Amino acid sequence: MSKAFILTTDSVLALIISTFIAVSVLSLASRFENPLDNSRALEGTGRDFLASLEKNGTLERAMVSGSTTELSGAMDYLPASVCGHIQIYENDTSTLVMQVNKTGCVCSEDLAVSYRSFLARGDSAQRELYARFGACFT
């Protein structure tokens, strides 16, 4: 009789501990969000993309030359699940100078928008411009 009591107590304790662990794991798992469900991952992608375009001089070269070819090529390097467009403004986002869309996709609504200011140095003039990157998931 005493062996049966110890065996039952052990199994009840194991069941209680297993239930506690399972509830804890499910509670922690429900706190994490899928990055595709929100725009935070897309905002980070936009900030990084604009920073890299500014650092390697692509934005400046596009404005000095007036050509969108290099920007269009850079847009094609975005992940396949990201659609987006770049708009370049002059005079504190009041005058649209250039717009480039990613080939093959159009966003009906921008889920994330990132801005970056940069300088375009021409012959003797220097202009302050703003790049706006709007993006959505396909």
Side-chain angles (χ1 to χ4, degrees), residues 1 4 31 43 45 48 51 55 62 67 74-76 81-83 94 101 110 112 125 127 129 135 137-138:
M1 176 107 165
R31 292 185 186 181
E43 288 171 0
T45 300
D48 292 345
K55 297 287 183 187
S67 172
M75 293 290 285
D76 291 337
S81 63
V82 175
C83 266
S94 62
N101 295 324
D110 291 338
R127 299 187 306 175
L129 300 156
F137 287 113
T138 58

Side-chain angles (χ1 to χ4, degrees), residues 62-96:
M63 290 312 302
V64 170
S65 69
S67 172
T68 62
T69 306
E70 195 173 357
L71 280 176
S72 295
M75 293 290 285
D76 291 337
Y77 285 112
L78 286 171
S81 63
V82 175
C83 266
H85 56 89
I86 294 177
Q87 297 171 326
I88 299 178
Y89 292 93
E90 191 171 21
N91 298 333
D92 197 21
T93 68
S94 62
T95 306
L96 180 64

Side-chain angles (χ1 to χ4, degrees), residues 116-138:
R116 184 147 185 115
S117 62
F118 66 99
L119 295 175
R121 296 175 187 95
D123 298 326
S124 62
Q126 176 173 299
R127 299 187 306 175
E128 182 179 2
L129 300 156
Y130 299 92
R132 178 187 183 274
F133 178 76
C136 63
F137 287 113
T138 58

Side-chain angles (χ1 to χ4, degrees), residues 33-35 37-47 111-112 137:
E33 297 177 11
N34 186 353
D37 289 341
N38 57 36
S39 62
R40 283 183 286 194
L42 199 53
E43 288 171 0
T45 300
R47 281 191 309 269
L111 293 179
F137 287 113

